[in-house]
């Protein structure tokens, strides 16, 4: 401890204070001058410039970059600006405009996603004449100032190498720093959070992400808000809960387009479900189906294996083939225009077979000539009306009735009717090929008022 009083003590204290103040001022001035001289020298060599702060201020210093466009590199450039894909050899003393390149790159305005290739970072230039060795590591700064496009950063051992040593995808309006070690085989090492193969316990909430590879395990997609559209090359749904719906497709409340549309490499749909639930399948094999309504068009039922069928109405426009017993509780109608209805065994059966008409009542359609007379009735049954009107008592005549169903071996049942008085009898029938001659007589004492009729039924002989 030092303490003196009086005028001599005061003079000593003043002298000592002046000496200490001068010494501290000189030391601080020298230190600051030296720091600024180093900073200026670094700026001239394209290095990052750090402006000293007040020693009492413990905040980080302010870092400033001198930015120049690629192709306009200078000795004071601290950050290289690019607007398109580019490649920089960090080992070359003439990386850009015959000078080494800085360790900072900024994408200013991009017209599309681009790639930035950093070559030989492990032997990158520390100064214009000095290349980094294994005793050094350098820090790189990458800035994507573009508002829309992505900057992909790759580290390569040679320019144009298609197998990057490390890769980082830098989104729009973002930055990242990486380190390159002199013994690191030209790899840029990015922060661990973004490194390939790293596991992150909780990434948090990512507003926008462009995922171009890898695997998603145990992930719910669209948990709270469904995505507008998703495309998959292959989709496999594996259930893990017995009471849970494995695949649910829900349309909009005002859905008009198909809810589901499945096509195979082309515009032709193979399976569609309309907004009303109508399902259209191009080709289906249904092992078991319970169909309770609808329409079946151009369908063969029992094509390879037949089973029982129950119908309220069966309408066939071609052939109905039954190999067993056909049983009906109502009428069976055969309507085929002018063609015959034939009940016969198939041609493969050589022995004679019998067709039995059971003793049941029914209606056989009858065709009449109408008022035209002498018109052919080409049907199995019909009514022929005479040309003769009011046949006198005792008169007789022979008429010819044309019918293509009649042959010389046919069996024809005939009867006469139609007169209000008199009595017409059929006395003889002669069969020909396509016609028959019928002889009639008014066998009464009164004239036959009006025209008489001949009723007939043609049966084919067995």
């Amino acid at each position: 401890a030092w303490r003196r009083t009086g005028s001599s003590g005061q003079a000593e204290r003043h002298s000592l204070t002046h000496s200490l103040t001068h010494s501290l001022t000189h030391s601080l001035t020298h230190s600051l001058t030296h720091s600024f001289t180093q900073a200026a020298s670094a700026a001239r060599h394209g290095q990052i410039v750090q402006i000293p702060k007040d020693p009492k201020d413990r905040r980080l210093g302010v870092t400033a970059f001198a930015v120049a466009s690629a192709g306009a590199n200078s000795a004071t450039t601290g950050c290289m600006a690019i607007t398109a894909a580019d490649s920089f050899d960090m080992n070359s003393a003439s990386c850009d405009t015959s000078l080494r390149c800085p360790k900072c790159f900024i994408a200013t305005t991009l017209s599309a996603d681009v790639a930035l290739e950093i070559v030989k970072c492990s032997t990158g230039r520390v100064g214009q004449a000095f290349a980094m060795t294994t005793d050094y590591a350098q820090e790189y700064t990458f800035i994507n100032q573009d508002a829309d496009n992505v900057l992909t950063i790759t580290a390569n051992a040679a320019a144009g190498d298609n197998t990057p040593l490390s890769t980082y995808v830098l989104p729009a309006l973002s930055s990242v720093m990486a380190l390159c070690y002199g013994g690191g085989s030209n790899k840029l090492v990015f922060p661990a959070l973004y490194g390939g193969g790293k596991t992150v316990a909780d990434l948090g909430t990512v507003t926008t992400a462009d995922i171009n590879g890898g695997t998603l395990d145990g992930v719910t997609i669209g948990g709270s808000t469904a995505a507008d559209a998703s495309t998959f090359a292959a989709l496999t749904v594996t259930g893990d809960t017995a009471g849970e719906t494995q695949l649910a497709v829900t349309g909009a409340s005002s859905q008009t387009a198909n809810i589901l549309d499945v096509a195979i490499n082309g515009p032709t749909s193979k399976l569609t479900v309309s907004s009303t639930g109508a399902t259209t399948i191009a080709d289906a094999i249904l092992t078991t189906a319970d169909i309770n309504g609808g329409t079946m068009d151009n369908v063969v039922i029992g094509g390879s294996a037949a089973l029982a069928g129950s119908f309220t109405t069966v309408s066939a426009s071609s052939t109905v083939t039954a190999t067993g017993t056909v049983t009906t509780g109502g009428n069976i109608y055969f309507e085929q225009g002018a063609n015959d209805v034939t009940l016969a065994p198939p041609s493969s059966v050589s022995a004679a077979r019998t067709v039995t008409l059971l003793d049941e009542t029914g209606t056989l359609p009858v065709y009449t000539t109408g008022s035209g007379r002498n018109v052919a009735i080409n049907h199995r049954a019909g009514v022929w009306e005479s040309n003769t009107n009011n046949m006198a008592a005792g008169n007789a005549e022979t008429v010819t009735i044309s019918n293509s169903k009649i042959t010389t071996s046919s069996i024809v049942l005939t009867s006469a009717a139609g007169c209000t008085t008199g009595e017409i009898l059929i006395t003889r029938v002669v069969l020909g090929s396509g016609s028959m001659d019928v002889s009639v007589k008014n066998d009464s004492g009164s004239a036959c008022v009006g025209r008489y009729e001949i009723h007939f039924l043609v049966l084919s002989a067995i």
Side-chain angles (χ1 to χ4, degrees), residues 319-324 334 340-357 460-462:
T319 303
V320 176
T321 302
T323 56
F334 300 94
D340 293 337
V341 174
T342 303
L343 302 177
S347 58
S348 60
V349 179
S350 57
R353 293 292 184 267
T354 301
V355 177
T356 302
L357 299 178
S460 295
I462 298 176

Side-chain angles (χ1 to χ4, degrees), residues 121-407:
C121 70
S122 290
T123 56
R125 293 278 167 169
V126 177
Q128 183 61 32
F130 179 71
M132 188 172 68
T133 65
T134 56
D135 296 329
Y136 289 84
Q138 287 186 318
E139 185 178 61
Y140 285 74
T141 301
F142 301 97
I143 306 169
N144 185 1
Q145 191 64 37
D146 189 82
D148 301 304
N149 299 292
V150 170
L151 176 66
T152 300
I153 307 160
T154 63
N156 297 69
D161 191 350
N162 293 326
T163 307
L165 302 172
S166 57
T167 302
Y168 187 88
V169 178
L170 188 60
L173 297 176
S174 58
S175 64
V176 68
M177 301 183 75
L179 292 174
C180 182
Y181 169 50
S185 302
N186 298 309
K187 295 179 181 177
L188 284 171
V189 181
F190 293 94
L193 179 62
Y194 304 104
K198 302 299 181 181
T199 300
V200 181
D202 188 354
L203 187 59
T205 301
V206 180
T207 304
T208 302
D210 184 3
I211 302 174
N212 296 312
T215 304
L216 296 172
D217 292 327
V219 175
T220 300
I221 300 175
S224 59
T225 303
D228 289 338
S230 298
T231 302
F232 302 89
L235 179 63
T236 301
V237 180
T238 303
D240 59 355
T241 304
E244 185 178 70
T245 300
Q246 307 308 326
L247 180 62
V249 180
T250 304
S253 59
S254 57
Q255 184 86 17
T256 56
N258 289 338
I259 298 175
L260 180 65
D261 196 335
V262 178
I264 299 179
N265 193 26
T268 303
S269 297
K270 302 299 181 182
L271 169 63
T272 60
V273 179
S274 72
S275 58
T276 61
T279 302
T280 302
I281 305 175
D283 191 358
I285 298 176
L286 305 178
T287 304
T288 302
D290 183 3
I291 302 174
N292 297 312
T295 303
M296 301 176 70
D297 294 327
N298 198 27
V299 175
V300 176
I301 300 176
S304 58
L307 286 176
S310 299
F311 305 90
T312 56
T313 303
V314 176
S315 177
S317 60
S318 181
T319 303
V320 176
T321 302
T323 56
T325 301
V326 177
T327 303
T328 178
N331 299 324
I332 299 179
Y333 296 95
F334 300 94
E335 298 179 0
Q336 191 61 26
N339 296 328
D340 293 337
V341 174
T342 303
L343 302 177
S347 58
S348 60
V349 179
S350 57
R353 293 292 184 267
T354 301
V355 177
T356 302
L357 299 178
L358 300 180
D359 186 15
E360 298 289 345
T361 60
T363 301
L364 183 67
V366 176
Y367 298 86
T368 179
T369 60
S371 60
R373 319 303 184 297
N374 292 331
V375 176
I377 304 178
N378 296 318
H379 299 281
R380 294 292 180 181
V383 176
W384 180 89
E385 189 177 48
S386 68
N387 289 321
T388 302
N389 192 16
N390 299 325
M391 178 180 283
N395 283 6
E397 66 179 358
T398 299
V399 298
T400 299
I401 300 176
S402 297
N403 191 323
S404 61
K405 306 299 182 184
I406 298 175
T407 66

Side-chain angles (χ1 to χ4, degrees), residues 15-86:
S15 175
L16 181 60
T17 301
H18 176 75
S19 175
L20 289 175
T21 301
H22 176 75
S23 177
L24 288 174
T25 302
H26 176 76
S27 177
L28 181 58
T29 302
H30 176 75
S31 177
L32 291 176
T33 302
H34 178 70
S35 297
F36 276 108
T37 301
Q38 286 183 324
S41 176
R44 286 195 299 272
H45 290 83
Q47 296 176 338
I48 298 172
V49 180
Q50 192 167 36
I51 301 174
K53 303 284 288 186
D54 187 327
K56 294 182 295 181
D57 191 349
R58 295 182 178 273
R59 293 178 298 173
L60 293 177
V62 178
T63 301
F65 299 96
V67 179
S69 298
N73 188 24
S74 70
T76 60
T77 300
C79 197
M80 188 78 73
I82 64 171
T83 58
D86 216 331

